[in-house]
């Protein structure tokens, strides 16, 4: 099939303020009947670029051509007129509406609105590309993957020829990812132009026809997927050669450190978020926790940290210094500390829980230690030394120790947080999604820090989303699904598919119990 | 359809955030804003009164400071007194505001503190030695204000009640209690006005009636600054205010901090009431605080919760209010005139923050722009 350019970008530049150059002289072309990957690290300007195509931002400079004609896209409405549809990372759906209602929402059609006809048209689209979704289902009862499907059908219904997907697989299990890819391939074969934004290399290689790479807002180049390798793409992304291996040592001197027994807890709405969870974390090993986002990972770590009220169960901590065992059940974080439990916690919400965004690095260092001493006044000397040490050791890019942490980039914020948590020489270190939003360099720095802690004999608990990383970094992986432990596997022998099946285990059991399984 | 789209122009101006402004430049913008505000209200005044621009400001200045250049300081002291009371109330609400607890009850907390002082002066004025009486007055006042802060804090911590409404309502309760007390004590003569009481008055320093008040508030200013910036309590207040999740995460007892801070907040507001009753009026009525408790909320915000900037803002607002009232008097304008003048200046002070945080960019005309 002859490939014609669907969209061409020429010298696109976009800046935010004086300092932030999100895109600089970006040129790229996407053809009909092709899947183009836009690859780049976080902050390399991928999403900004796509937002300009879909009319959310307006470029400072440069030209956009659709089917060979220069166009000016000033609003999402203009983008629709050019048959461009974007599927954002955060879905834009009305929760209490059904799938069909969401799909037809906001369209101005002449005459009386005919839901029946609309439904028929939507069904045709589903049939054509092989979408599996119950169109009468309300959005709030849907899984993330179903919501994404609705978003894709929505743009197709509006006649999109150019589809842009922003990190579509971030929230999907491996099985759901395969389904999505199959659908995308079918759309490509139908002549549509598909652009996916991603930073996952293996997806790029398995799905796309061509790859365009961005680095720090600049266009690096485009390669044909069949002629490239993972290491070449990494080099283009990062700008230098990188070894993407995590050094996993054999666990030494393992002792039971934290014993979680039959804990359950409910959320504010009264729904069970943890259901009879039991496991043991051992010193000198990294215990990974895998699961679909929102399956109870956050509540589990918060329960251990003393931030969730448990309806049942116990958490035992074996103190290596005294040899005593303490029950941490329903103790406050302060009580836990006073027991001599050295528990460090890198929460998922860095600026909303781990740090105070408007405070500078020094004051954030004090969060853990400010109570020390009897004086009513603060002692800022030691936190200042610690801040400067972390800035130097972890190569934090900041104008100084007195810069508010919210001004730092995501990777540097995380370095500050992890640095502080490690500085208190913990015996248990919990980290929830510690590399989310970080560039490759920072991610590997964090992995190394976790490995160092493991070698020091710390019991590390790592909640991750990238199964490849979990398999490379951890010693054991515990899989959690809908608040229940669905399996514990050896990370050295397990496969991604195995974990993926465990992730959806409880869900599929429930579905078949209702007799409405469509997973075949 | 494509034709329609092609006509779309680049927007005329757009607003961009700026993160890089220097402290000096920000302060220059703020000072310029105050200057423009004063200039504009001067021009409006000149138009309204027919007097010249300079005449208006001369009346304003002498209205506030009196004939200060001739060595007469009475008016100056009155200005300092008003500024001090306003600042004291602002200092009171600031710890709560830093905690994002919107204490709108300064008026009531001060009034109830003043009432406690009044009751002590009247009931035990002659029963105990003067130093003991003073001590009792101070303790009773602070305790009453603290209680007025504690009640909304307890309900907020325990039942998540809305603190803004609760503290506002507490103002009415305090006003009604004071009204009742006034009627009750004046029932004999039926005048409805409590005559100044001679016992339990705060000492007069160096023969200057307002000096003690000003000194007390000055010390409070420094104390609140240190408390918020260098004490562990102040740090906890800041953490709770920024993010209760972070506070819980590091083991801060959020409820305890809320309650403790509101007790302090109420007590500091009560100082203003005590200074007014025991130090200035030696009497009380429902208008003793006169709405300054609400102006104090604005002062706290204008001063960005920094006690020293708040002191400057209290001075500015007091100057505008008294000065404009004098201008209104001189030209037979009604009392709204003072509100207009101070409103204009404050609008500029608040509005300039926008230009400190954002910059406005105009469309650059170049080819393809079709401007």
């Amino acid at each position: 099939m002859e490939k014609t350019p669907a969209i061409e970008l020429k010298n696109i530049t976009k800046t935010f303020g004086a300092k932030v150059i999100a895109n600089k002289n970006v040129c790229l072309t996407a053809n009909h009947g092709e899947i183009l990957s836009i690859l780049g690290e976080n902050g390399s300007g991928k999403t900004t670029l796509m937002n300009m195509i879909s009319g959310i931002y307006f470029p400072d400079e440069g030209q956009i051509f659709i089917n060979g004609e220069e166009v000016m896209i000033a609003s999402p409405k203009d983008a629709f007129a050019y048959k461009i549809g974007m599927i954002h990372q955060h879905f834009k759906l009305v929760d209490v509406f059904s799938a069909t209602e969401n799909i037809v929402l906001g369209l101005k059609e002449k005459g009386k609105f005919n839901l029946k006809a609309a439904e028929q048209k939507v069904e045709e689209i589903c049939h054509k590309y092989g979408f599996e979704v119950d169109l009468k289902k309300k959005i709030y009862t849907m899984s993330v993957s179903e919501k994404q499907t609705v978003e894709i059908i929505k743009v197709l219904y509006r006649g999109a020829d150019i589809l842009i997907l922003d990190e579509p697989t971030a929230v999907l299990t491996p099985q759901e990812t395969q389904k999505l890819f199959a659908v995308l391939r079918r759309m490509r074969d139908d002549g549509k132009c598909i652009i996916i934004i991603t930073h996952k290399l293996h997806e790029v290689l398995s799905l796309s026809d061509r790859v365009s790479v961005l680095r720090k807002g600049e266009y690096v180049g485009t390669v044909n997927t069949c002629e490239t390798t993972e290491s070449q793409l990494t080099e283009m992304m990062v700008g230098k050669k990188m070894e993407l291996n995590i050094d996993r040592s054999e666990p030494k001197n393992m002792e039971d450190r934290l014993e979680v027994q039959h804990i359950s807890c409910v959320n504010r709405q009264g729904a069970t978020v943890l259901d009879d969870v039991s496991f043991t974390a051992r010193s000198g090993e990294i215990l990974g926790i895998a699961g679909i986002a929102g399956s109870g990972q956050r509540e589990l770590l918060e329960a251990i940290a003393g931030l969730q009220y448990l309806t049942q169960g116990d958490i035992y901590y074996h103190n290596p210094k005294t040899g005593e065992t303490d029950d941490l059940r329903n103790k406050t974080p302060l009580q836990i500390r006073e027991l001599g439990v050295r528990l460090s916690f890198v929460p998922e919400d860095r600026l909303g829980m781990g740090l105070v965004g408007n405070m500078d690095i020094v004051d954030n260092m004090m969060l853990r230690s400010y109570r020390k001493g009897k004086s009513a006044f603060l002692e800022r000397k030691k936190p200042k030394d610690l801040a400067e040490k972390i800035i130097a050791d972890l190569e934090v890019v900041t104008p100084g120790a007195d810069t508010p942490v919210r001004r730092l980039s995501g990777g540097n914020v995380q370095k500050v947080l992890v640095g502080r948590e490690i500085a208190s020489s913990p015996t248990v270190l919990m980290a929830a999604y510690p590399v989310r939003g970080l560039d490759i360099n920072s991610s590997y720095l964090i992995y190394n820090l976790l490995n160092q802690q493991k070698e020091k004999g710390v019991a590390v608990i790592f909640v991750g989303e990238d199964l490849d990383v979990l398999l490379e970094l951890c010693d054991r992986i515990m899989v959690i699904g809908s608040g229940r432990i669905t399996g514990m596997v050896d990370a050295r022998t397990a496969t991604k598919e195995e974990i993926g099946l465990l992730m959806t285990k409880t869900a599929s059991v429930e579905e078949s119990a209702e007799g409405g399984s469509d997973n075949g | 359809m494509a034709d329609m789209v092609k006509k779309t122009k680049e927007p005329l101006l757009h607003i961009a955030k700026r993160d890089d402004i220097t402290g000096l430049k920000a302060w220059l913008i703020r000072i310029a804003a105050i200057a423009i505000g004063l200039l504009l209200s001067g021009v409006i005044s000149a138009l309204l009164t027919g007097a010249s621009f300079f005449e208006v400001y001369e009346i304003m200045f002498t209205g506030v400071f009196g004939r200060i250049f001739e060595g007469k300081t009475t008016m100056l002291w009155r200005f300092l007194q008003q500024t001090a009371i306003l600042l004291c109330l602002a200092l009171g609400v600031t710890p709560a505001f830093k905690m994002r607890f919107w204490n709108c009850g300064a008026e009531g907390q001060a009034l109830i503190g003043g009432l406690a002082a009044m009751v002590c002066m009247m009931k035990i004025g002659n029963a105990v030695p003067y130093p003991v009486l003073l001590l009792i007055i101070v303790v009773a006042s602070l305790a009453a204000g603290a209680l007025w802060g504690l009640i909304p804090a307890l309900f907020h911590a325990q039942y998540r009640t809305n603190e803004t409404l609760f503290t506002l309502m507490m103002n009415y309760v305090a006003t009604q209690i004071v009204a009742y007390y006034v009627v009750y004590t004046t029932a004999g003569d039926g005048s409805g006005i409590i005559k100044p009481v001679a016992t339990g008055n705060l000492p007069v320093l160096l023969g200057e009636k307002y000096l003690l008040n000003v000194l007390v508030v000055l010390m409070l200013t420094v104390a609140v600054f240190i408390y918020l910036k260098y004490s562990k309590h102040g740090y906890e207040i800041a953490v709770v205010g920024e993010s209760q999740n972070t506070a819980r995460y590091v083991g801060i007892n959020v409820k305890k901090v809320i309650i403790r801070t509101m007790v302090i907040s109420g007590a500091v507001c009560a100082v203003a009431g005590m200074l007014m009753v025991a130090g200035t009026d030696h009497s009380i009525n429902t208008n003793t605080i006169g709405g300054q408790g609400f102006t104090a909320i604005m002062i706290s915000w204008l001063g960005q919760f920094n006690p020293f900037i708040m002191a400057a803002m209290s001075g500015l607002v007091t100057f505008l209010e008294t000065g404009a009232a004098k201008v209104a008097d001189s030209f037979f304008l009604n009392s709204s005139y003072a509100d207009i003048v101070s409103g204009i200046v404050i609008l500029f002070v608040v509005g300039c923050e926008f230009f400190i945080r954002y910059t406005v960019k105009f469309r650059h005309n170049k080819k393809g722009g079709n401007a």
Side-chain angles (χ1 to χ4, degrees):
Chain A
M1 182 176 168
E2 179 85 3
K3 282 186 179 165
T4 51
I7 185 159
E8 288 170 273
L9 305 181
K10 285 190 180 155
N11 302 315
I12 294 285
T13 297
K14 175 82 188 170
T15 57
F16 295 104
K19 281 182 193 159
V20 185
I21 299 163
N23 288 128
K24 192 176 165 191
N25 284 326
V26 176
C27 310
L28 55 87
T29 308
N31 297 318
H32 285 293
E34 171 184 83
I35 299 178
L36 174 76
S37 289
I38 311 272
L39 182 68
E41 298 202 71
N42 288 88
S44 58
K46 303 176 298 240
T47 303
T48 309
L49 188 65
M50 292 305 122
N51 278 340
M52 282 188 277
I53 301 176
S54 57
I56 293 172
Y57 293 148
F58 192 84
D60 293 347
E61 278 165 40
Q63 298 155 286
I64 301 174
F65 296 85
I66 306 274
N67 298 326
E69 261 187 77
E70 185 175 355
V71 297
M72 187 80 84
I73 304 172
S75 72
K77 215 168 133 197
D78 295 353
F80 276 133
Y82 292 117
K83 300 190 170 184
I84 300 168
M86 181 153 174
I87 292 106
H88 295 270
Q89 259 177 46
H90 305 283
F91 306 137
K92 293 155 174 33
L93 297 167
V94 181
D95 265 354
V96 294
F97 281 12
S98 72
T100 313
E101 284 166 336
N102 265 287
I103 290 164
V104 299
L105 185 71
L107 283 182
K108 283 182 193 137
E109 278 166 22
K110 284 204 180 103
K112 202 173 148 222
F113 177 66
N114 188 342
L115 190 67
K116 274 264 164 60
E119 261 168 17
Q120 205 168 8
K121 197 178 156 198
V122 174
E123 255 165 45
E124 270 166 31
I125 292 170
C126 291
H127 186 70
K128 188 172 175 191
Y129 298 109
F131 289 110
E132 292 168 2
V133 65
D134 178 0
L135 294 167
K136 296 211 167 61
K137 217 168 156 182
K138 300 263 194 266
I139 297 298
Y140 66 88
T141 62
M142 286 189 170
S143 71
V144 179
S145 139
E146 287 174 297
K147 288 182 196 170
Q148 187 181 53
T149 309
V150 175
E151 282 280 10
I152 297 172
I153 300 172
K154 191 167 91 183
V155 296
L156 289 174
Y157 181 83
R158 287 159 194 231
D161 269 341
I162 302 166
L163 275 88
I164 305 165
L165 296 98
D166 192 355
E167 304 268 2
T169 62
V171 289
L172 303 182
T173 63
Q175 283 78 9
E176 289 167 340
T177 305
Q178 287 314 317
K179 265 195 213 167
L180 171 69
F181 284 4
V183 169
L184 293 179
R185 288 195 189 100
R186 237 166 282 160
M187 293 199 279
R188 169 191 63 193
D189 297 340
D190 190 44
K192 302 223 182 276
C193 165
I194 297 178
I195 303 176
I196 80 164
I197 303 177
T198 182
H199 62 262
K200 292 184 185 168
L201 287 170
H202 53 271
E203 282 176 4
V204 169
L205 292 169
S206 74
L207 179 68
S208 57
D209 301 303
R210 291 189 308 137
V211 191
S212 292
V213 183
L214 295 180
R215 186 199 318 142
K216 291 182 180 148
E218 286 183 55
Y219 173 68
V220 180
T222 301
V223 289
N224 289 323
T225 313
C226 55
E227 295 160 7
T228 189
T229 61
E230 204 163 306
S231 64
Q232 189 201 352
L233 288 176
T234 314
E235 202 183 322
M236 287 171 79
M237 251 163 94
V238 183
K240 62 182 181 198
K241 271 211 185 330
M242 277 205 59
E243 280 295 319
L244 293 186
N245 291 319
I246 302 172
D247 229 357
R248 174 164 55 189
S249 59
E250 283 299 318
K252 282 179 298 206
N253 308 325
M254 287 199 293
E255 282 172 41
D256 288 359
R257 181 67 63 233
L258 198 69
E259 249 180 274
V260 173
Q261 288 185 353
H262 308 291
I263 62 167
S264 296
C265 76
V266 293
N267 64 8
R268 277 202 185 161
Q269 285 76 41
T272 306
V273 278
L274 286 180
D275 187 3
D276 197 24
V277 170
S278 301
F279 68 94
T280 305
R282 300 187 290 227
S283 64
E285 75 160 8
I286 298 183
L287 173 67
I289 298 180
I292 304 169
S295 299
Q297 296 97 321
R298 198 192 76 223
E299 289 83 1
L300 178 57
L301 297 198
E302 289 187 2
I304 297 170
L307 297 167
Q308 282 281 348
Y309 181 80
L310 297 180
T311 49
Q312 67 158 45
D314 291 291
I315 299 165
Y316 293 109
Y317 173 76
H318 302 291
N319 195 325
K321 271 212 179 124
T322 59
E324 283 169 12
T325 298
D326 297 304
D327 190 353
L328 308 184
R329 179 190 172 163
N330 291 342
K331 293 221 161 48
T332 66
L334 191 60
Q335 286 169 325
I336 292 174
R337 190 101 43 80
E338 280 164 355
L339 280 172
V341 179
R342 292 221 299 274
L343 182 77
S344 282
F345 179 22
V346 178
E348 181 181 348
D349 187 358
R350 292 159 203 164
L351 287 175
M353 185 178 243
L355 300 165
V356 179
N358 278 330
M359 286 187 176
D360 64 17
I361 302 177
V362 177
D363 280 14
N364 270 294
M365 290 298 135
M366 275 196 308
L367 276 172
R368 283 287 191 199
S369 61
Y370 79 96
R371 275 190 207 89
K372 275 184 198 148
K374 286 209 174 102
S375 161
F377 293 98
L378 296 166
E379 197 267 324
R380 279 195 170 89
K381 172 88 180 63
K382 274 186 199 147
K384 187 157 192 284
D385 293 344
L386 178 61
E388 267 155 16
K389 186 172 179 295
I390 287 172
I391 292 170
D393 289 357
L394 302 186
E395 292 165 7
V396 179
V397 182
T398 169
D402 53 1
T403 305
V405 289
R406 76 182 150 80
R407 294 257 185 97
L408 307 182
S409 72
N412 289 310
V413 166
Q414 187 67 326
K415 286 179 192 171
V416 169
L417 176 55
V418 173
R420 186 191 72 204
E421 290 302 294
I422 289 174
S424 56
S425 46
T427 53
V428 178
L429 172 62
M430 302 190 289
Y433 308 109
V435 300
R436 183 182 279 172
L438 268 56
D439 58 39
I440 297 183
N441 269 321
S442 310
S443 298
Y444 278 80
L445 187 127
I446 301 287
Y447 299 146
N448 282 334
L449 286 173
L450 294 179
N451 262 325
Q452 281 168 19
Q453 293 299 306
K454 162 186 162 182
E455 278 160 29
K456 278 189 189 167
V458 177
V460 180
I461 300 174
F462 171 81
V463 176
E465 48 197 343
D466 190 332
L467 292 182
D468 294 289
V469 170
L470 277 161
L471 286 167
E472 266 185 82
L473 177 73
C474 303
D475 297 298
R476 288 184 298 153
I477 297 173
M478 183 169 85
V479 187
I480 190 167
S482 314
R484 258 175 274 176
I485 303 300
T486 54
M488 177 78 91
V489 296
D490 183 342
R492 286 178 175 77
T493 56
T495 63
K496 242 167 50 172
E497 286 66 31
E498 202 180 317
I499 296 174
L501 282 175
L502 287 170
M503 279 161 76
T504 48
K505 197 166 145 193
T506 43
S508 53
V509 166
E510 276 166 12
E511 266 177 38
S512 54
E514 288 163 15
S517 172
D518 54 1
N519 287 356
Chain B
M1 196 160 205
D3 285 342
M4 179 200 84
V5 180
K6 245 183 216 165
K7 284 178 200 143
T8 324
K9 286 186 210 161
E10 186 181 345
L12 177 65
L13 47 83
H14 66 274
I15 291 152
K17 200 162 172 132
R18 63 174 170 201
D19 248 352
D20 49 351
I21 194 159
T22 58
L24 179 74
K25 205 173 162 196
W27 277 109
L28 285 177
I29 293 180
R30 291 195 184 106
I31 291 165
I34 294 176
I36 297 170
L38 286 171
L39 212 68
L40 186 67
S41 51
V43 170
I44 288 175
S45 307
L47 289 175
L48 279 175
T49 57
S52 82
F53 176 82
F54 295 103
E55 215 175 322
V56 170
Y57 271 100
E58 201 193 319
I59 294 171
M60 237 182 176
F61 187 86
T62 47
V64 176
F65 298 114
R67 278 170 290 164
I68 192 171
F69 299 118
E70 294 161 33
K72 299 204 170 150
T73 55
T74 327
M75 294 293 275
L76 174 69
W77 277 110
R78 195 166 297 161
F79 168 75
L80 288 177
Q81 152 79 5
Q82 280 176 5
T83 305
I85 296 298
L86 181 59
L87 176 59
C88 185
L89 292 162
L91 289 171
V93 294
T94 298
F97 282 6
K98 261 212 125 163
M99 199 175 61
R100 309 257 162 98
F101 186 102
W102 309 120
N103 177 13
C104 298
E107 185 88 4
Q109 287 148 17
L111 206 52
I112 209 77
L115 180 66
M118 193 69 218
V119 172
C120 293
M121 285 157 68
M122 291 185 84
K123 298 292 168 199
I124 54 171
N126 297 313
V128 290
Y130 181 63
V132 181
L133 179 63
L134 278 191
L135 191 70
I136 292 174
I137 287 174
V138 171
V139 172
S141 265
L142 296 190
L147 177 72
W148 239 242
L150 173 71
I151 295 169
L154 275 179
F155 276 82
H156 179 81
Q158 215 54 49
Y159 306 110
R160 316 280 309 152
T161 54
N162 179 310
E163 75 275 11
T164 311
L165 289 175
F166 208 120
T167 47
L168 271 175
M169 292 305 159
M170 291 295 283
N171 291 335
Y172 295 104
V173 177
T175 311
Q176 293 305 317
I177 293 176
V178 170
Y180 171 79
Y181 183 78
V182 171
V183 173
Y184 170 80
T185 46
T186 59
D189 56 21
S191 67
I193 293 166
I194 298 179
K195 292 193 186 67
V197 177
T199 51
N201 293 350
L202 297 185
V204 175
L205 301 181
L206 304 174
E208 202 50 74
K209 191 182 173 193
Y210 301 126
L211 180 58
L212 180 77
N213 294 358
V214 174
L215 284 179
V216 168
V217 175
L218 210 58
M219 283 188 294
L220 258 182
T221 310
V222 177
V224 170
F225 178 78
I226 292 173
Y227 180 74
L228 289 177
K229 186 139 193 218
Y230 296 107
S231 81
K232 289 178 180 175
H233 284 187
Y235 182 71
E236 285 176 346
I237 289 171
V239 175
V240 170
E242 290 286 342
S243 155
Q244 296 206 358
N245 263 336
T246 308
R248 273 167 14 93
Y249 160 83
V250 295
I252 292 173
N253 186 338
V254 175
K255 285 183 188 175
K256 191 177 121 188
V257 173
I258 289 176
I259 290 168
R260 184 181 68 204
T261 307
M262 270 308 285
V263 164
I264 292 171
S265 182
V268 175
C269 289
V271 171
M274 182 189 72
L275 293 177
M276 278 309 290
V277 171
T280 314
D281 290 350
H282 313 307
S283 170
I284 194 166
N285 60 54
T286 51
N287 211 24
T288 296
I289 306 301
Q292 296 285 73
F294 299 105
T295 315
I297 295 168
M298 183 180 78
I299 299 293
S300 182
W301 275 100
L302 285 176
Q304 298 172 359
F305 309 149
N306 177 326
F308 297 117
I309 307 174
M310 277 153 53
M313 289 300 160
S314 302
L316 177 69
V317 169
T318 309
F319 172 81
L320 289 171
E321 280 182 354
T322 29
K326 281 284 150 58
V327 176
D329 273 354
S330 315
F331 294 98
F332 308 106
L333 300 166
N334 69 16
S335 62
S336 305
Y337 170 78
D339 293 341
I340 293 170
V341 168
S342 43
I344 288 170
V345 176
I346 287 158
L347 186 70
F348 274 85
V349 173
V350 175
C352 79
E353 293 300 318
F354 175 84
F355 293 95
I356 288 168
R357 271 170 222 163
Y358 301 92
T359 110
V360 177
K361 283 186 178 168
F362 290 91
R363 168 171 59 197
H364 33 251
N365 287 326
K366 57 177 180 52
K367 63 177 171 85
N370 319 341

